[in-house]
């Protein structure tokens, strides 16, 4: 019933709104952002609850409102989001308002970062480049650093005073191989998740 009412108004229907929230969350994850959460409920000091579509960040959280509108986003919608943030003690600069369409002229002047449909498409394209960089450059770099540390430990303990240095060296070698296999599996899993 609610879906039909929203669709008739020509604003946002439930399915397209949820799809936009999922799209934004996936962009954040591909970009390497931490602690990406969807549909987060906030309770203000007056006991009122508000839902924030997407929240991300481990130490410095950002709060995102998503609107898959067919027409321009009015000033009142952005103002309402700003008011919700303020009521919950959140600086409005930590808010981001994202739409698949565009904004009415004054809606972008409220101190909330806004992103229209064109900017959203550009951000999504950039997120794929970031993901590819992480997979092609950062993961191998992490593996090389880990191997360097393991090799260093191996050379230190190879000549050290151990009761059974051969067993220690073998154990270290097996742990290194196990570590490399785990990293390889994680890389393959992250590539599989990102490609889907």
């Amino acid at each position: 019933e609610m879906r039909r009412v929203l669709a008739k108004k020509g604003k946002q229907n439930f399915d397209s709104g949820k799809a936009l929230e999922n799209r934004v969350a996936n962009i954040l994850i591909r970009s390497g952002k931490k602690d990406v959460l969807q549909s987060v409920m906030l309770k203000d000091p007056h006991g009122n609850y508000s839902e924030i579509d997407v929240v991300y960040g481990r130490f410095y959280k950002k709060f995102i409102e998503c609107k898959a509108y067919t027409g321009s986003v009015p000033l009142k919608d952005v103002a309402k989001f700003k008011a919700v943030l303020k009521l919950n003690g959140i600086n409005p600069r930590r808010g981001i308002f994202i739409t698949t369409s565009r904004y009415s002229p004054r809606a972008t002047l409220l101190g909330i970062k806004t992103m229209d449909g064109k900017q959203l498409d550009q951000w999504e394209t950039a997120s794929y480049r970031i993901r590819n960089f992480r997979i092609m450059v950062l993961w191998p770099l992490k593996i090389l650093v880990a191997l360097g540390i393991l090799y260093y430990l191996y050379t230190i303990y190879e000549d050290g005073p151990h009761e059974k240095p051969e067993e220690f060296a073998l154990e270290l070698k097996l742990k290194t191989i196990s570590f490399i296999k785990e990293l390889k599996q994680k890389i393959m899993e992250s590539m599989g998740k990102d490609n889907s």
Side-chain angles (χ1 to χ4, degrees):
E1 182 70 85
M2 180 76 148
R3 292 182 192 183
R4 274 188 252 132
V5 171
L6 289 172
K8 281 181 186 174
K9 287 184 177 178
K11 291 275 188 173
Q12 167 176 295
N13 68 42
F14 180 81
D15 293 332
S16 61
K18 213 49 169 156
L20 178 58
E21 291 173 26
N22 292 336
R23 181 181 175 192
V24 168
N26 287 330
I27 291 170
L28 290 166
I29 291 167
R30 269 194 305 275
S31 299
K33 301 300 182 192
K34 303 293 183 197
D35 297 336
V36 178
L37 303 170
Q38 288 181 256
S39 302
V40 175
M41 296 302 290
L42 300 178
K43 184 178 179 183
D44 67 30
H46 306 290
N48 300 313
Y49 287 92
S50 301
E51 182 179 328
I52 302 293
D53 295 330
V54 182
V55 176
Y56 74 93
R58 188 166 289 160
F59 303 110
Y60 186 77
K61 295 202 178 300
K62 294 276 193 159
F63 302 85
I64 301 176
E65 180 71 11
C66 300
K67 294 293 182 196
Y69 283 179
T70 53
S72 295
V73 174
L75 172 68
K76 67 177 179 147
D77 286 8
V78 181
K80 179 182 173 188
F81 178 55
K82 181 177 182 177
V84 165
L85 293 177
K86 282 187 168 184
L87 281 170
N88 285 281
I90 300 166
N91 187 327
R93 286 190 224 157
R94 291 168 62 186
I96 305 170
F97 201 108
I98 298 176
T99 185
T100 50
S101 63
R102 59 198 173 285
Y103 292 91
S104 62
R106 295 186 331 175
T108 59
L109 305 174
L110 294 176
I112 297 277
K113 181 179 178 181
T114 55
M115 187 179 294
D116 62 22
K118 185 178 178 183
Q119 293 168 319
L120 176 62
D121 291 340
Q122 292 170 347
W123 184 36
E124 187 169 37
T125 301
S127 75
Y128 283 106
R129 278 188 246 129
I130 292 168
R131 181 210 54 196
N132 292 339
F133 175 79
R134 288 173 50 224
I135 291 170
M136 303 304 288
V137 177
L138 294 183
W139 274 104
L141 187 61
K142 288 178 182 180
I143 291 170
L144 286 174
V145 168
L147 289 174
I149 291 169
L150 288 171
Y151 178 74
Y152 175 73
L153 291 173
Y154 177 77
T155 56
I156 287 175
Y157 291 109
E158 186 178 38
D159 298 326
H162 298 287
E163 292 179 19
K164 299 180 182 178
E166 295 82 17
E167 287 181 17
F168 176 81
L170 180 63
E171 182 182 341
L172 188 59
K173 183 177 179 180
L174 292 173
K175 285 183 179 179
T176 303
I177 292 169
S178 172
F179 176 76
I180 291 170
K181 284 181 181 178
E182 285 179 29
L183 278 177
K184 184 179 177 184
Q185 183 179 356
K186 285 181 183 178
I187 290 170
M188 298 309 282
E189 285 174 5
S190 72
M191 288 175 70
K193 285 180 186 173
D194 289 335
N195 290 334
S196 59

